[in-house]
């Protein structure tokens, strides 16, 4: 298995632009998580899905952030409009819901100028 | 305020030395995990501990869960340059819950 695949690996954009981050979880995993990592705040859970359904989005910073999981093999995290304080590394992780063992992707490093 | 406090935040030691890093909380966790993260990659799970007082060993790494399930430690014996990385603890407050809370991490550097 290729593991959790995230794209893009790096994105540099200007304030106000829309950013879409993509994630392909491990085949067979039914839970998907979006995390954000910064030096100041560490790893923060933004949202997670079970069987493509959002379960807990309490970590989503504000309405500028949205996440979707249209099917078991794909999820997106969208920021619109982006702001400099959104600069961070965004990680996607997947797991089997009964196992609670997360497999992380390599992350998407976002820089908003 | 972090629910899980890790210490030290940074540690730089020579190859062959021993070290311990700590993960502390005022909250009780149903389980606790340790991850290692290398630059440009995502965290990778090392171990899960679920029982108070539990000790697990992974080669030169020894993990302990506190008796009250509020803290954990990671001890590395005879550290090697390959142990360099960011060590993260993560806990689940509710048994079976998938929501993990992460500590800030300990950035470990082992110098040859």
């Amino acid at each position: 298995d290729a593991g959790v695949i995230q794209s893009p690996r790096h994105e540099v954009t200007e304030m106000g632009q829309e950013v879409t981050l993509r994630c392909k979880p491990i085949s067979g995993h039914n839970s998907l998580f979006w995390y954000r990592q910064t030096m100041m705040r560490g790893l923060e859970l933004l949202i997670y899905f079970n069987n493509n359904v959002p379960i807990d989005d309490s970590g989503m910073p504000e309405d500028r952030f949205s996440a979707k999981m249209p099917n078991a093999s794909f999820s997106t995290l969208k920021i619109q409009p982006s702001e400099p304080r959104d600069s961070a590394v965004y990680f996607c992780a997947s797991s089997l819901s009964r196992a609670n063992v997360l497999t992380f992707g390599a992350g998407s490093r976002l820089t908003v100028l | 305020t972090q629910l899980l406090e890790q210490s030290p935040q940074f540690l730089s030691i020579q190859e062959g030395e021993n070290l311990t890093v700590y993960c502390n909380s005022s909250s009780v966790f149903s389980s606790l995990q340790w991850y290692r993260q290398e630059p440009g990659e995502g965290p990778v799970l090392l171990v899960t501990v679920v029982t108070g007082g539990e000790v697990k060993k992974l080669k030169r790494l020894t993990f302990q869960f506190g008796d009250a399930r509020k803290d954990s430690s990671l001890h590395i014996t005879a550290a090697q340059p390959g142990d360099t990385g960011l060590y993260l603890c993560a806990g689940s407050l509710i048994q079976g819950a998938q929501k993990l809370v992460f500590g800030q991490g300990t950035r470990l550097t082992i110098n040859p």
Side-chain angles (χ1 to χ4, degrees):
Chain A
D1 198 319
V4 176
I5 299 173
Q6 292 187 245
S7 64
R9 289 297 312 275
H10 302 274
E11 172 118 3
V12 180
T13 190
E14 293 189 344
M15 183 174 63
Q17 296 298 304
E18 178 179 295
V19 173
T20 299
L21 307 178
R22 298 172 178 80
C23 175
K24 176 178 168 54
I26 290 175
S27 177
H29 282 189
N30 60 343
S31 296
L32 183 139
F33 304 77
W34 282 101
Y35 281 87
R36 178 172 67 177
Q37 186 176 40
T38 62
M39 287 293 292
M40 290 295 295
R41 302 172 68 92
L43 262 173
E44 302 173 282
L45 178 64
L46 300 177
I47 185 172
Y48 78 93
F49 297 82
N50 272 355
N51 298 314
N52 313 337
V53 176
I55 301 300
D56 186 338
D57 66 354
S58 59
M60 295 286 262
E62 49 200 87
D63 291 346
R64 296 185 299 108
F65 285 68
S66 62
K68 293 182 179 179
M69 192 164 185
N71 57 63
S73 59
F74 184 66
S75 177
T76 59
L77 178 67
K78 187 173 293 188
I79 308 172
Q80 167 63 18
S82 58
E83 296 182 3
R85 59 187 167 131
D86 302 330
S87 297
V89 182
Y90 290 81
F91 286 101
C92 175
S94 70
S95 74
L96 286 168
S97 58
R98 64 180 184 276
N100 205 23
V101 174
L102 298 182
T103 301
F104 283 82
S108 294
R109 180 176 293 276
L110 173 65
T111 303
V112 183
L113 303 175
Chain B
T1 305
Q2 290 284 322
L3 199 56
L4 282 168
E5 297 282 347
Q6 289 190 241
S7 62
Q9 290 187 44
F10 300 92
L11 183 59
S12 180
I13 63 172
Q14 293 300 119
E15 182 177 0
E17 294 183 4
N18 301 332
L19 66 107
T20 303
V21 299
Y22 301 92
C23 176
N24 296 301
S25 178
S26 57
S27 300
V28 176
F29 287 87
S30 66
S31 66
L32 205 137
Q33 299 178 338
W34 285 90
Y35 290 79
R36 184 171 75 195
Q37 184 179 15
E38 299 191 26
E41 299 181 10
V44 176
L45 179 67
L46 297 174
V47 76
T48 301
V49 285
V50 297
T51 306
E54 183 176 3
V55 176
K56 281 192 174 179
K57 292 193 174 185
L58 188 65
K59 297 184 180 177
R60 294 175 293 100
L61 279 59
T62 301
F63 304 85
Q64 185 162 8
F65 201 10
D67 291 341
R69 305 205 316 275
K70 292 183 178 181
D71 54 85
S72 181
S73 64
L74 159 59
H75 181 80
I76 301 179
T77 304
Q80 298 178 1
D83 296 327
T84 293
L86 178 67
Y87 288 81
L88 296 158
C89 65
S92 177
L93 286 167
I94 301 171
Q95 187 174 7
Q98 293 182 274
K99 191 170 182 176
L100 286 178
V101 175
F102 279 82
Q104 288 273 57
T106 293
R107 193 166 296 279
L108 176 63
T109 302
I110 309 300
N111 303 299

